[in-house]
């Protein structure tokens, strides 16, 4: 899986108390790829599906970062890329690698959909939410 148009940008700017100067951190993450055997199972009524990887998947991504202290750039690109990649791998391992599974609730498949829709509570659009099981 490798979405072509997916990316995430984050920026933090601040200053240190005591007049030690301002700092800024900018991170752009793109080029995400996840390769592995994805297992899926579903509830009988398709209210939920559970996803997991049989083994640790291969993960790749591209990170562009810029860290400055005042006007001085700091050479932290490799450390930030390692941190972002490590956190993604930890998420997949802790939430999606067997025996753990990621549960995706299919909100549009609610058994009480007609009742909820009549009360203005149902969205019926098939959007999902997830939680770890």
């Amino acid at each position: 899986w490798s979405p072509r148009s997916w990316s995430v940008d984050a920026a933090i700017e601040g200053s240190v108390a005591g007049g030690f100067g301002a700092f800024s951190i900018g991170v752009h993450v793109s080029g995400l790829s996840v390769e592995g055997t994805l297992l899926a199972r579903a509830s009988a009524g398709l209210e939920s599906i559970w996803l997991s990887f049989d083994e640790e998947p291969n993960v790749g991504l591209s990170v562009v970062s810029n860290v400055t202290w005042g006007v001085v750039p700091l050479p932290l690109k490799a450390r930030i890329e390692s941190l972002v990649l490590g956190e993604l791998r930890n998420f997949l391992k802790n939430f999606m690698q067997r025996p753990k599974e990621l549960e995706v609730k299919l909100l549009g498949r609610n058994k009480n959909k007609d009742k909820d829709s009549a009360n203005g509570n149902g969205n019926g659009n098939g959007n999902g939410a997830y939680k770890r099981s």
Side-chain angles (χ1 to χ4, degrees):
W1 177 74
S2 183
R4 297 180 193 267
S5 62
W6 179 91
S7 68
V8 173
D9 292 292
I12 300 173
E13 295 180 347
S15 60
V16 178
F20 289 108
F23 65 88
S24 68
I25 302 170
V27 180
H28 175 81
V29 180
S30 63
L32 173 67
S33 65
V34 180
E35 183 180 334
T37 303
L38 183 66
L39 306 172
R41 65 183 182 91
S43 61
L46 294 176
E47 292 86 14
S48 295
I49 59 171
W50 291 268
L51 304 171
S52 62
F53 287 99
D54 197 26
E55 298 178 343
E56 185 174 352
N58 294 320
V59 178
L61 50 79
S62 171
V63 177
V64 177
S65 63
N66 183 26
V67 180
T68 61
W69 188 277
V71 295
V72 179
L74 300 176
L76 298 175
K77 181 187 181 332
R79 176 68 181 124
I80 291 173
E81 183 171 348
S82 174
L83 180 68
V84 171
L85 185 57
E87 287 300 315
L88 177 58
R89 285 183 175 146
N90 284 340
F91 173 82
L92 292 173
K93 182 176 183 178
N94 293 329
F95 286 87
M96 292 187 71
Q97 188 173 331
R98 282 208 147 320
K100 297 179 177 97
E101 298 176 309
L102 182 71
E103 180 181 8
V104 179
K105 294 248 184 204
L106 303 175
L107 299 177
R109 299 288 303 177
N110 187 340
K111 288 181 182 178
N112 297 318
K113 181 178 160 185
D114 294 334
K115 178 181 168 187
D116 289 344
S117 293
N119 295 330
N121 298 327
N123 64 11
N125 63 8
N127 289 338
Y130 69 88
K131 70 176 186 178
R132 186 176 109 190
S133 62

